[in-house]
Amino acid sequence: MSRLPSSSSVPITEDAHDTKLPEASPRRWLIFAVVSMALFMSSIDHTVVAIALPSIRDDLGTGLEWAGWTVTIYSLGAVLVMPLAGKLSDQYGRKRIFVVAAALFTIASLLCALVDNIYLLVLLRGIQAIGGGAFMPAATGIVADNFGPNRDRAVGMFTSVFPIGGIVGPIIGGILLTYWDWRAIFIVNVPVGILLLVLALLVIPESRQPVSRRLDVYGVVLLGVLILGVMLGVTSLGSKDGTPLSPQFIVPEAIAVVALVLFLRHAARGTAPFIPIRLLRGRGFGVMNVINFLQGAAAIGFGALVPLFAQARFGIPILESGTLMTARAIGMICIAGVAVMTLRRTGYRLPMIVGFTVLAAGMVAICFPPPGVSQVLWLAIAAGVTGLGMGLSIPAGNNAVLQLAPDEAAGVAGLRGMFRQSGSIIAISIATAVMARSDDPGATLSVVFLIFAGLIVLTLPLVFRVPEHKGQW
């Protein structure tokens, strides 16, 4: 068995990762293209569903708070599966987890298109999220295995995959929703998923032999109860008789607190927890987990709500409101490549500080269109500014976590995604619950966006505690 000329100690097969291959060999870039295709499909699905919330609400005869669950349940499933898929990828092989994820995502997408009630749709979106959530950690591990010393740049390039999906997704979604209905946004995943499955089986090499280890079901259940309890309590506030003192809120939140205590105790004392305590509060991990949580709440939660804001506040049609996500994605792409290539010179702190500042400024700007300027144009510009901020900060944040434990690339990527998606879940749940009780949902979302901007500003002092790293790994 040969090893990559890097700090990674992950064993790889001789034929799949021969270190004599040039760093830019066609095989490696073909592997990168396949895993990027999965991330691209997952990105499209998330942005399209966010745009389709009003259509889903009207067609299935439900409230906005339950329609919003089609987005939040996807985040919940991803939160649960990301760290678990990362650990399973490290143990049993990236390819196996990746292929299972592709199959599950494709089948669930087909079933989502066939349902006729909101509760079944939410359930199937949760199943779909298991596949979508497993893509990122497995893909990160695959890239880390194949790109050796350049894995920091290859992983950073993933930053450009999601915004490309953000460009195409809203456009496709707007067209499908305008000329067909919301079911089409799930149907289009099926042929793409089948193609992805075939390519993954043919192109991606095995990276590890199976290892017999016990699955930490107890830890997974505790984390699921924790997040689900928080979401159920917050969602109850969206009903007319829901209050912070009602049993519908207090009971699930109390259960969530108990689950949190038990989960932390298990992570610290368990024999083989799927998230060890050192990855939660160890050197560097603690501050990065907080930053990723706040970034997920503000940036990811904000992005999912922008089309809804445009429709509710300004009455902008679905197709045009979807282009705001496109503007945001273009902003990310314009700067992400430069941020990735200069990361070894700038380190992690500078791009995160500048990126978070620009992101907060764009969030504030989107709430205050100046008179005499086209509302769509101004919202697109402001969304583009937030994209610039994310394009600067996300590559640095991704690698700041990954360099803390490069030998556990998939597991660390899953943990990072878990905290970001957890923040997004809570932010979207609170925002949709507050909107459901508001007489002016658009104005309410303006206040929510200003709060999101404040969260990003509060993140800035934490950046100075991020372990700095410059130069090649």
Side-chain angles (χ1 to χ4, degrees):
M1 301 286 284
S2 63
R3 294 183 183 273
L4 289 170
S6 71
S7 60
S8 177
S9 61
V10 177
I12 50 179
T13 59
E14 188 75 35
D15 59 344
H17 307 292
D18 189 349
T19 56
K20 295 180 181 179
L21 287 172
E23 289 300 328
S25 67
R27 180 178 178 81
R28 294 182 181 184
W29 287 112
L30 182 58
I31 293 170
F32 183 88
V34 173
V35 297
S36 296
M37 181 180 174
L39 302 181
F40 177 73
M41 182 172 68
S42 180
S43 173
I44 288 179
D45 190 76
H46 193 276
T47 56
V48 167
V49 174
I51 294 171
L53 289 183
S55 299
I56 293 174
R57 175 194 60 192
D58 295 340
D59 186 49
L60 298 183
T62 185
L64 182 60
E65 67 274 16
W66 276 106
W69 266 75
T70 59
V71 174
T72 53
I73 197 66
Y74 189 89
S75 297
L76 173 62
V79 164
L80 294 177
V81 80
M82 277 184 177
L84 183 61
K87 188 166 186 177
L88 292 176
S89 295
D90 287 333
Q91 291 180 6
Y92 300 110
R94 292 53 157 108
K95 179 177 181 177
R96 297 185 180 193
I97 301 302
F98 189 88
V99 168
V100 170
L104 191 59
F105 186 90
T106 303
I107 295 171
S109 295
L110 176 62
L111 295 177
C112 283
L114 302 176
V115 300
D116 59 358
N117 71 80
I118 187 63
Y119 306 109
L120 187 55
L121 177 60
V122 168
L123 174 63
L124 289 171
R125 279 284 286 171
I127 296 174
Q128 185 189 38
I130 297 175
F135 280 139
M136 176 59 82
T140 301
I142 290 168
V143 170
D145 285 350
N146 284 273
F147 280 79
N150 285 326
R151 64 177 177 266
D152 58 335
R153 290 179 174 174
V155 170
M157 287 176 65
F158 279 158
T159 308
S160 298
V161 175
F162 275 93
I164 292 174
I167 290 176
V168 177
I171 295 175
I172 294 177
I175 294 173
L176 292 176
L177 291 169
T178 300
Y179 298 104
W180 196 356
D181 64 23
W182 61 269
R183 299 177 191 277
I185 66 179
F186 295 109
I187 292 176
V188 296
N189 288 333
V190 177
V192 178
I194 293 173
L195 176 61
L196 174 65
L197 191 60
V198 173
L199 291 175
L201 291 170
L202 294 176
V203 173
I204 299 175
E206 292 287 356
S207 59
R208 180 182 286 274
Q209 295 299 318
V211 179
S212 178
R213 294 187 183 180
R214 183 173 61 88
L215 181 62
D216 182 22
V217 177
Y218 180 62
V220 174
V221 171
L222 286 177
L223 183 61
V225 171
L226 164 61
I227 299 173
L228 188 60
V230 172
M231 291 176 63
L232 286 172
V234 171
T235 301
S236 71
L237 297 178
S239 61
K240 293 182 179 180
D241 57 348
T243 70
L245 298 179
S246 64
Q248 293 86 347
F249 177 81
I250 293 177
V251 172
E253 297 304 325
I255 293 174
V257 170
V258 173
L260 173 61
V261 173
L262 293 176
F263 178 78
L264 293 176
R265 180 178 179 179
H266 176 67
R269 303 179 183 180
T271 55
F274 85 108
I275 302 180
I277 196 66
R278 67 180 181 83
L279 297 184
L280 293 176
R281 64 184 186 191
R283 181 182 177 275
F285 281 107
V287 66
M288 281 307 306
N289 290 337
V290 174
I291 289 174
N292 283 326
F293 179 84
L294 293 176
Q295 185 182 30
I300 301 177
F302 164 82
L305 295 169
V306 165
L308 187 60
F309 169 74
Q311 296 172 48
R313 180 75 187 275
F314 302 108
I316 296 174
I318 292 176
L319 187 57
E320 290 183 79
S321 67
T323 61
L324 301 179
M325 302 287 280
T326 301
R328 181 169 176 254
I330 291 174
M332 290 182 67
I333 292 174
C334 287
I335 200 68
V338 176
V340 169
M341 299 309 295
T342 60
L343 199 55
R344 294 176 182 176
R345 292 186 178 184
T346 63
Y348 302 137
R349 294 176 183 173
L350 180 60
M352 291 176 72
I353 291 171
V354 176
F356 287 160
T357 302
V358 173
L359 174 59
M363 289 180 176
V364 173
I366 206 169
C367 300
F368 302 104
V373 178
S374 167
Q375 293 171 341
V376 175
L377 176 61
W378 177 260
L379 295 180
I381 293 173
V385 171
T386 65
L388 291 174
M390 294 183 68
L392 275 172
S393 60
I394 288 181
N398 288 349
N399 284 286
V401 179
L402 201 58
Q403 66 95 16
L404 295 173
D407 293 344
E408 302 175 72
V412 171
L415 185 71
R416 179 190 69 215
M418 182 192 78
F419 277 98
R420 287 182 181 170
Q421 290 295 335
S422 295
S424 172
I425 284 174
I426 295 174
I428 295 174
S429 297
I430 293 175
T432 52
V434 172
M435 286 179 63
R437 296 175 63 94
S438 173
D439 294 331
D440 189 348
T444 300
L445 266 185
S446 292
V447 176
V448 170
F449 287 170
L450 293 177
I451 294 174
F452 284 174
L455 287 177
I456 288 295
V457 172
L458 291 175
T459 304
L460 293 175
L462 298 176
V463 176
F464 292 99
R465 300 185 61 185
V466 173
E468 189 59 281
H469 183 84
K470 296 183 181 181
Q472 185 166 308
W473 283 7

